[in-house]
Amino acid sequence: MQRSGATKKGHGMAGWQDTHEGTLAQVWGRLARGVADRRCATRHPVLCTLGLDGAPQARTVVLRGCDPAAGVLEMHADLASTKMAELRAEPRAALHVWDPRLKLQMRLGAEVEMRSGASVAARWARVPEGSRRAYGGAPPPGEVLGAPEDHDAAPSQARFAALLARIDVIETLHLGPDLHRRARFRRIDDWTGVWLAP
């Protein structure tokens, strides 16, 4: 494994971005912070799927869970949404996260497992009343409306799903004032990092 001996310009000590261990720790730490803090930028990653027509599709989602030990992120979705149909056809997906505070881009490759019904009843019980309106309703997400008020946002536990994204690869890009640092970590390599040209 390649190690960097670089130090922060003008400082006598290395920062988190100068080591693989520090970079990976920041990734999981900031993702966990996004679950706990609704003001944190990492709370709203962009989920990218393969569209049913073969074109890429991207949408902002809300991070609902983070398990660094298992390498799994959790999001929620409406079973009738287009992204669910896309994930049924192709469960591989990507997540993009930009953390302006750290000037850190995170690109995560994952395989998504979808859970619904009785297996997510406990999760549904923890969803705030106001947020439940995102799951259910008629017509389903993406259907044409005559006007915004034509949508009946009646919550439905039957339409609620948990998306568990098993992260297989993490690629980071830190925009440093002296040097951009790009790294890749793969589950198959036990998250051993390698440096990449930025």
Side-chain angles (χ1 to χ4, degrees), residues 138-139 145-153:
L145 296 174
E149 57 270 17
D150 292 343
H151 183 253
D152 175 13

Side-chain angles (χ1 to χ4, degrees), residues 22-80:
T23 300
L24 191 60
Q26 284 290 349
V27 168
W28 288 114
R30 293 300 289 170
L31 291 171
R33 176 71 180 268
V35 175
D37 182 357
R38 64 179 54 227
R39 296 170 298 178
C40 185
T42 58
R43 185 175 181 85
H44 297 103
V46 175
L47 173 67
C48 304
T49 57
L50 182 65
L52 298 177
D53 61 355
Q57 299 294 325
R59 73 274 289 168
T60 302
V61 294
V62 180
L63 199 56
R64 299 296 187 183
C66 176
D67 184 344
V72 172
L73 299 178
E74 180 177 335
M75 297 145 287
H76 297 159
D78 187 315
L79 279 170

Side-chain angles (χ1 to χ4, degrees), residues 18 23 92 96 117:
D18 295 310
T23 300
R92 291 177 299 172
H96 176 269

Side-chain angles (χ1 to χ4, degrees), residues 124-191:
W124 175 257
R126 294 193 298 270
V127 174
E129 284 295 326
S131 297
R132 291 185 180 187
R133 294 164 52 90
Y135 316 106
E143 294 293 320
V144 175
L145 296 174
E149 57 270 17
D150 292 343
H151 183 253
D152 175 13
S156 171
Q157 182 179 347
R159 292 258 297 274
F160 174 73
L163 304 180
L164 302 180
R166 181 183 183 270
I167 307 303
D168 293 314
V169 61
I170 298 171
E171 192 170 299
T172 63
L173 177 63
H174 175 255
L175 304 182
D178 59 326
L179 178 69
H180 294 346
R181 292 164 177 82
R182 185 175 175 186
R184 183 176 62 218
F185 308 86
R186 299 193 306 170
R187 180 187 290 272
I188 197 171
D189 297 326
D190 198 26
W191 302 115

